Amino acid sequence: VCDGIHLATVDPSKGAVRLYNNVIYQTGRGPDPPDGGAAYTCIYVSGATNNGAPGTGDVEVYNNTLYDCGSRGGSSAGAFGRASASPGLRLQLENNLVYQKPGEAYFAGWTAKALVSGRNNLWYGAGAGPAWLAGGVNADPHVADAGTFDFHLRSGSPAIDRGVPTAAAADIDGIARPQGKAYD
């Protein structure tokens, strides 16, 4: 209904906060929850703290596949969202495959872009990816069958071996990364 994964009260200065090798799809469809509006994203870092001081450091989000996120639409919908709370907490995106349907956004409209960095993500379906992130690829990822939620990459996919090294040495199926050419 709302977010696929919502991170709040996180503090990477106390230990790594990593989100990787997830397949998240068809989230953020609505309707609003009984207590009012919400964010409608696949991955949302609110920066909110339910207890304690605001977190600082990088929330690392890498090697994830996101599909059909935020179909509810509006400024609260998208594949990712990063609110402006806790400005010492940054969202770091690497090697994510983001496949949106036409009319869906890559980021919720209120995303604090200054708190988001990243590189080598693949963007498809909602136009060109965000120019403020480095090394992005704007191309059809050539997944096996998005309609049946089979997001394995077909031979020749522009996502193959386009990532940067991360702490995830294997993909979701346990296959080692990288397999072919050197990383960019």
Side-chain angles (χ1 to χ4, degrees):
V1 172
C2 297
D3 301 306
I5 297 176
H6 181 133
L7 298 173
T9 313
V10 296
D11 190 353
S13 72
K14 306 229 184 279
V17 177
R18 295 182 177 128
L19 191 63
Y20 61 93
N21 281 358
N22 294 286
V23 177
I24 308 166
Y25 56 90
Q26 292 189 329
T27 63
R29 302 175 120 197
D32 288 338
D35 63 350
Y40 300 91
T41 62
C42 272
I43 298 175
Y44 176 40
V45 177
S46 68
T49 55
N50 296 322
N51 213 336
T56 60
D58 291 339
V59 173
E60 301 171 41
V61 177
Y62 55 90
N63 301 103
N64 296 288
T65 298
L66 285 63
Y67 173 70
D68 189 14
C69 306
S71 63
R72 177 186 183 275
S75 66
S76 292
F80 298 101
R82 173 59 181 102
S84 60
S86 302
L89 187 65
R90 295 172 305 277
L91 174 59
Q92 174 67 34
L93 305 173
E94 292 182 334
N95 304 349
N96 296 290
L97 188 158
V98 185
Y99 186 147
Q100 291 287 74
K101 291 186 174 179
E104 294 174 342
Y106 295 127
F107 285 89
W110 40 257
T111 292
K113 293 177 185 176
L115 301 179
V116 181
S117 62
R119 60 192 175 146
N120 293 62
N121 297 286
L122 185 143
W123 310 95
Y124 181 68
W132 44 276
L133 297 177
V137 174
N138 297 301
D140 183 338
H142 301 294
V143 298
D145 187 355
T148 62
F149 312 116
D150 181 352
F151 299 106
H152 290 92
L153 300 176
R154 294 187 315 226
S155 178
S157 169
I160 294 173
D161 291 327
R162 287 299 303 253
V164 293
T166 65
D171 69 13
I172 197 166
D173 291 325
I175 298 170
R177 292 187 174 109
Q179 294 181 20
K181 67 181 183 176
Y183 287 106
D184 294 339

